[in-house]
Every structure is written in C-alpha cells, then in structure tokens.
Amino acid sequence: MEYDFDVLVIGAGVVGLAVARELAEALYTTGLLEKNSRYGLETSSRNSEVIHSGIHYPPGSLKARMCVEGNRLIYEICEKYNLIYKKTGKITLAVETEEIKTLEELYNTGIANGVDEIKMLDAEDVRRMAPQVVCKAGLYTGTTGIFNVHNFMDFLYHRFINADGMAGFKEKVVRIEKGGDGYLVFTEEGERYSTRILVNCAGLFADRIAEMLGINYNIYWAKGDYFSINRNFPVDILLYPVPGRTSLGIHLTPKIGGGLRAGPDIEYVEKKEQPYPDEKGAGYYKVDEGKKGFFYSEVKRYLPEVREDDFSPEMYGIRAKLQGPEDGFKDFVIKEETPGFINLTGIESPGLTSSVAIGRYVKEMVKKFL
C-alpha cells in the first residue's frame, strides 16, 4: 500500500507544531491536521506564557525530563532566532513558616531534576529582589522566564512548512481505521488520509482520538481564570505561592507587553464541544468575575499593597488533565499504544515548556519504524 504520509500528526497546538516540525525537518513526509481555522487557538494561546524550570515534577518522570530539557531548548531557539522572551527568574514564596518545608522539598526536587540557578532565600533576600513582597522565605529559580507563545508558534509552523510539511485546517478527524501496516484517517469534511505513523497531539480532545482506535483514557477539563492587575507594581520577577495538590496556585506573572497577570486558579468543568469562543464569538465558558475577591485575597497574602479594585478579568484557559480532583500526580502519556500509533495524552503544564523536547522525543520513537 502506498501512503500519503510517513507521519500524520493530529492537533496543531504548540506540542503538535513542535512534533510536526521535528519530523518534517528529519525529512519524513509529514502532515498536520487541525480542526480549527489555524494553529494554536485553544490551550496553547491561553496560558501564563511561562518557561518553567522543572522543580514541581517527580524525578525521573516525563514531566521532569521534558521540562528541564525543554527549558534549555526554548531559550536556545529564542536566542538564535530572535524570538521574544525574557529570563525573569521566579521566587516561590513561603508566606507562613510552616510552608518553608515545602520550599525545601521543591529545592531538593529541583536539584534531583538537574535544574540550574536554584537557591533558597531568606525573607531579606526576597525583599532585596522584590521589595513589595512579604514572606518568611523563598525559593529562587533563575531559569524560569516568559516568552511570546504566539511568536513561538509562528516560528514552529513556518519551520514545518519550509521543511515541506503539509497542514490541513478545518479538518476535524471523525474516524480512524487500521489499514495495511498503517492508518486511514477520515475527516468531517469528507477527506481521507493514509499514513504509516499516526501521532495524537489533540490536546483537550486527545481521549476522543485515542478512543477511535479502542484506547481509553479519561481526560478532565480544568478551567483556569486569569485577572489583570491594573495598578503599576514594579514587579519584574515571577511570584508563586507554594503549590497545592492540583495546581501551582494564584501566581503573578509579568506580561511581555508590560503589566501583571494573576492566575490561574483551577476549576474542573464539564467537557463541551467548543471550549473557547468560536469565530462568531459563541462559546461555553467565560471568566468568572465573582472570583475577584478570591484572587485578591490570595495575592494579598504576599503582596499586601494590592487592592481588590486592581483586578479585572482577562481570560481563561482549559487544561487537559489526567489527574482528577482527588488524584495524586499523573505523568504525561507519550507512548506507542498500537504499532505505529503514538499517543500523547494529558499534556498539560509543563507541556508548553516541554514542547520542543517532546518533539525530539517523538522523533526518536518514529525512527524505530521508518
């Protein structure tokens, strides 16, 4: 059987773009299918735009490995290709004395994961770096930063196209069949594509794609709201509270264009057909303005000068989590589920930071087949 593609990638978020770019530049005939009108319209464009260091993930996990490697690779790409970024650093804050133990655990995890530029801070150290912050201690990670994700996705997409990759937009996959020693992929628009290798990077809908081949995962949708801080605070470093069990807490992020963003929180929501407003503005979710008081109280713990009327709703994002509200840590799933089907599921944070590393990881998996 003659195939249209060596590899077909489903989903053109930042991870799908990174995977497709690596494969096309490795000279595989590579296709990329996306149900939306362009790439990166869902989770990839609605997040904190943070380049994480790798202190939050168990040593040896895929999240830890991909994050630490991806951190290095993203800075290299941004520097080499003049993409927009800022290596701000981050302080994780122990506001209460009993939280210092958590900082020490994060420090030890970071050391085990090979995170560079990491050190414990006392309250005076923090005050010198962020004078308006009040805390008992802090953990500094110098490799944390921010970047312009849209700029980065443009780079990945154009590299993919320039390497003779082929992209199809408004191509919603509705059926997958095993065909010969490869796969047949059918779209809602009536198109049929054949491929030797199929890679699932469908993000919020990755479980639906896997289910078409009889592979079952339960992806939870976790919505996170963001608020802008309207008053000008001279904060140019990321500020995080100690993390909770299912999220990293309400943190403050300097925005590339100036100003501060607070969030996200975490709210498990019902899964819908359309997670974000479509081209006509119709959508199922919106920022909950009633959360303003909660955001204010969380940020005021470490930034006491902030006022409630400084907060205004900005945006929301939805994460694809394998971890339910009562579950412990769940790692990325990046595995060959059936011969030639590589499944990426539960690629939440630090998926953005990990994207280039994940692309390389998948490329090594593909090499076993082609």
Side-chain angles (χ1 to χ4, degrees):
M1 179 175 178
E2 189 170 321
Y3 292 93
D4 298 326
F5 298 103
D6 294 327
V7 189
L8 184 62
V9 179
I10 300 174
V14 67
V15 172
L17 290 170
V19 169
R21 172 229 172 184
E22 287 287 343
L23 295 170
E25 291 189 340
L27 303 181
Y28 297 115
T29 303
T30 307
L32 177 64
L33 293 180
E34 169 55 50
K35 65 181 177 60
N36 292 311
S37 59
R38 60 172 282 129
Y39 52 86
L41 290 184
E42 295 186 351
T43 306
S44 299
S45 59
R46 293 167 172 265
N47 55 73
S48 301
E49 298 190 301
V50 172
I51 305 171
H52 288 287
S53 64
I55 62 172
H56 292 107
Y57 320 108
S61 67
L62 274 174
K63 285 185 175 180
R65 291 160 51 198
M66 296 296 101
C67 182
V68 173
E69 180 184 354
N71 175 288
R72 175 180 57 81
L73 292 171
I74 283 180
Y75 282 123
E76 287 179 1
I77 287 171
C78 288
E79 187 66 31
K80 182 176 180 179
Y81 296 100
N82 198 31
L83 303 184
I84 301 167
Y85 80 101
K86 186 176 182 181
K87 196 173 180 182
T88 59
K90 179 181 87 172
I91 307 174
T92 305
L93 302 164
V95 178
E96 307 294 340
T97 302
E98 56 267 26
E99 294 175 337
I100 295 175
K101 182 180 178 181
T102 303
L103 293 188
E104 293 169 344
E105 292 169 352
L106 290 172
Y107 173 83
N108 291 332
T109 298
I111 294 297
N113 288 342
V115 174
D116 295 327
E117 300 178 48
I118 179 172
K119 63 181 178 179
M120 292 290 294
L121 307 173
D122 61 25
E124 186 57 37
D125 294 328
V126 174
R127 196 171 298 112
R128 281 194 292 269
M129 299 174 75
Q132 293 174 307
V133 170
V134 172
C135 66
K136 302 295 184 183
L139 174 64
Y140 175 74
T141 47
T143 60
T144 307
I146 54 176
F147 70 140
N148 186 309
V149 176
H150 298 277
N151 183 224
F152 181 65
M153 290 193 291
D154 289 343
F155 164 80
L156 293 174
Y157 178 71
H158 290 298
R159 288 292 294 255
F160 167 68
I161 295 298
N162 290 340
D164 295 325
M166 290 167 276
F169 297 103
K170 294 189 176 181
E171 294 269 23
K172 181 180 179 180
V173 174
V174 293
R175 191 167 90 253
I176 303 170
E177 295 178 0
K178 195 81 174 71
D181 60 350
Y183 294 88
L184 301 175
V185 178
F186 301 83
T187 72
E188 192 173 65
E189 293 67 32
E191 300 293 337
R192 188 193 83 159
Y193 302 96
S194 62
T195 183
R196 291 283 306 278
I197 307 297
L198 183 63
V199 183
N200 178 15
C201 294
L204 294 173
F205 300 95
D207 53 347
R208 292 192 186 182
I209 297 299
E211 189 177 5
M212 294 176 191
L213 288 168
I215 299 161
N216 295 313
Y217 285 92
N218 184 23
I219 287 181
Y220 298 89
W221 283 13
K223 175 172 171 278
D225 288 337
Y226 292 88
F227 283 73
S228 291
I229 306 293
N230 300 321
R231 193 148 53 100
N232 183 30
F233 285 95
V235 174
D236 58 4
I237 191 169
L238 286 151
L239 299 174
Y240 276 58
V242 296
R245 186 164 53 82
T246 56
S247 89
L248 299 184
I250 306 298
H251 51 266
L252 286 185
T253 306
K255 293 189 277 189
I256 286 288
L260 288 173
R261 174 186 293 125
D265 65 340
I266 184 166
E267 175 189 355
Y268 284 84
V269 295
E270 182 182 354
K271 293 156 75 170
K272 304 285 188 179
E273 285 296 322
Q274 176 64 34
Y276 298 107
D278 61 21
E279 292 168 348
K280 299 177 182 178
Y284 289 95
Y285 308 106
K286 61 181 180 180
V287 177
D288 183 353
E289 296 189 40
K291 293 178 179 177
K292 179 190 286 192
F294 169 71
F295 272 67
Y296 162 68
S297 64
E298 289 293 295
V299 173
K300 186 177 176 62
R301 293 180 65 234
Y302 55 86
L303 194 68
E305 293 182 23
V306 75
R307 300 187 302 249
E308 186 167 353
D309 59 6
D310 293 332
F311 292 79
S312 62
E314 182 179 315
M315 66 172 182
Y316 69 87
I318 300 178
R319 291 153 277 182
K321 295 179 76 70
L322 290 169
Q323 180 184 350
E326 305 303 322
D327 295 333
F329 173 82
K330 300 281 187 180
D331 204 358
F332 292 154
V333 170
I334 307 174
K335 63 186 291 190
E336 181 193 356
E337 301 277 7
T338 61
F341 176 59
I342 300 172
N343 188 32
L344 282 70
T345 300
I347 311 298
E348 55 162 333
S349 182
L352 174 59
T353 303
S354 303
S355 56
V356 180
I358 289 173
R360 293 189 175 191
Y361 188 80
V362 172
K363 180 177 68 175
E364 293 304 311
M365 297 175 74
V366 168
K367 282 183 179 179
K368 300 175 184 177
F369 300 98
L370 301 176

